[in-house]
């Protein structure tokens, strides 16, 4: 079974702090995603990585950065946390190029990190 | 991606089959049907997918009509732990490295399994 592990389930941070959210997947997937999920707004893509050291901005990258130094690990960084970044953060991975055709689209999610910025 | 329509909510008795419908009347020939669910305060979970044939795995069965304009997710023996929001998504395969592979969910169906 694919496993995507997010380092924390709950985090409470202060405004202005630098926050690191870590995500590790164990299936050698090429593609990894960071989303945030807010009531009424659904899933919104923050950043995407298609390979080590490669990244693309998603729909809402402002205030965030990412790091992918190893294939299995994708980190989301909040450079200076603000109250409007209080949210549920979800990491996902997907095969990308390997595996059966229809299965390439499947995204496997971590349990999520509920971040509160005070 | 083709638009999908799902009922906003459904109820099911524990131990009975839960049949969740999804309408995707504008689906194109190369689009797959995917189902995910999200239990409260957890990350979304992939359930099953299919192109045109019916599919079954350890979690559920997927029945796709012959014209592919609708599908039904079947949880054969629903338990209380199956209470969740269920999302039906239709999309072409985005192979390789592209952020077009990002996932977006509609409103989904809130399935409540009661004792």
């Amino acid at each position: 079974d694919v496993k995507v592990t997010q380092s924390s389930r709950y985090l409470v941070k202060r405004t202005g702090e630098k926050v690191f959210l870590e995500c590790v997947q164990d299936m050698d997937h090429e593609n990894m995603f960071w989303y945030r999920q807010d009531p009424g707004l659904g899933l919104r893509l923050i950043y995407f990585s298609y390979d080590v050291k490669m990244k693309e901005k998603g729909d809402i990258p402002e205030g965030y950065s990412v790091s992918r130094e190893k294939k299995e690990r994708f980190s989301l960084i909040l450079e200076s946390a603000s109250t409007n970044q209080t949210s549920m953060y979800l990491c996902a991975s997907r095969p990308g190029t390997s595996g059966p055709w229809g299965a390439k689209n499947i995204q496997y999610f971590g349990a999520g990190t509920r971040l509160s910025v005070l | 991606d083709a638009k999908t329509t799902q009922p906003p909510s459904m109820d099911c008795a524990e131990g009975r089959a839960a049949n969740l419908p999804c309408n995707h009347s504008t689906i194109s020939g190369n689009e797959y049907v995917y189902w995910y669910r999200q239990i409260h305060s957890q990350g979304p979970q992939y359930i099953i997918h299919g192109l045109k044939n019916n599919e079954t795995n350890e979690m559920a069965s997927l029945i796709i009509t012959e014209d592919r304009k609708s599908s039904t997710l079947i949880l054969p023996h629903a338990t209380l732990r199956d209470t969740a929001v269920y999302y039906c998504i239709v999309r072409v395969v985005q192979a390789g490295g592209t952020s077009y592979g990002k996932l977006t969910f509609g409103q989904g169906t809130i399935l409540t399994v009661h004792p």
Side-chain angles (χ1 to χ4, degrees):
Chain A
D1 280 353
V2 177
K3 191 156 180 146
V4 179
T5 304
Q6 294 185 230
S7 53
S8 305
R9 288 281 279 138
Y10 301 94
L11 273 181
V12 180
K13 296 292 181 181
R14 297 278 182 198
T15 302
E17 278 193 77
K18 192 168 186 176
V19 182
F20 293 86
L21 302 183
E22 305 285 341
C23 176
V24 177
Q25 51 96 359
D26 67 356
M27 280 301 291
D28 202 36
H29 285 173
E30 296 162 358
N31 299 172
M32 295 187 76
F33 302 78
W34 273 107
Y35 298 90
R36 62 178 283 179
Q37 188 175 34
D38 301 286
L41 296 177
L43 281 179
R44 292 184 291 168
L45 180 66
I46 304 171
Y47 264 99
F48 164 73
S49 171
Y50 51 94
D51 205 345
V52 175
K53 297 189 187 296
M54 307 307 288
K55 61 188 179 185
E56 276 186 23
K57 292 181 181 178
D59 300 317
I60 50 164
E62 296 78 20
Y64 303 94
S65 62
V66 291
S67 171
R68 192 158 179 211
E69 296 297 318
K70 293 185 178 181
K71 192 174 186 179
E72 67 270 20
R73 187 179 296 269
F74 191 33
S75 303
L76 179 70
I77 303 147
L78 285 66
E79 298 291 343
S80 177
S82 64
T83 55
N84 63 10
Q85 292 178 310
T86 291
S87 186
M88 169 73 112
Y89 289 88
L90 293 163
C91 174
S93 74
R94 73 168 196 146
T97 55
S98 60
W101 186 251
K104 296 182 197 301
N105 266 354
I106 299 169
Q107 292 196 21
Y108 299 90
F109 286 82
T113 296
R114 189 165 293 282
L115 173 68
S116 295
V117 182
L118 306 177
Chain B
D1 300 337
K3 180 177 164 54
T4 62
T5 304
Q6 299 177 252
S9 63
M10 294 182 66
D11 287 332
C12 179
E14 190 176 20
R16 305 296 294 266
N19 297 293
L20 292 93
C22 180
N23 183 287
H24 33 78
S25 58
T26 61
I27 191 170
S28 61
N30 61 347
E31 287 183 305
Y32 282 72
V33 180
Y34 297 85
W35 283 83
Y36 288 79
R37 72 180 182 184
Q38 188 168 20
I39 296 169
H40 182 62
S41 293
Q42 295 186 24
Q45 178 187 22
Y46 161 77
I47 302 172
I48 198 167
H49 74 283
L51 182 61
K52 51 186 176 183
N53 297 322
N54 297 339
E55 302 287 345
T56 296
N57 63 20
E58 64 278 3
M59 288 184 68
S61 294
L62 175 61
I63 308 297
I64 302 174
T65 58
E66 194 167 340
D67 63 7
R68 301 208 324 122
K69 293 185 177 181
S70 66
S71 61
T72 301
L73 178 74
I74 300 171
L75 307 178
H77 306 287
T79 70
L80 299 178
R81 288 177 294 180
D82 292 320
T83 293
V85 183
Y86 286 77
Y87 298 101
C88 168
I89 298 156
V90 173
R91 62 187 327 180
V92 296
V93 173
Q94 300 285 353
T98 166
S99 63
Y100 290 109
K102 71 180 180 183
L103 209 56
T104 53
F105 289 146
Q107 294 303 307
T109 296
I110 300 171
L111 174 69
T112 304
V113 181
H114 50 85

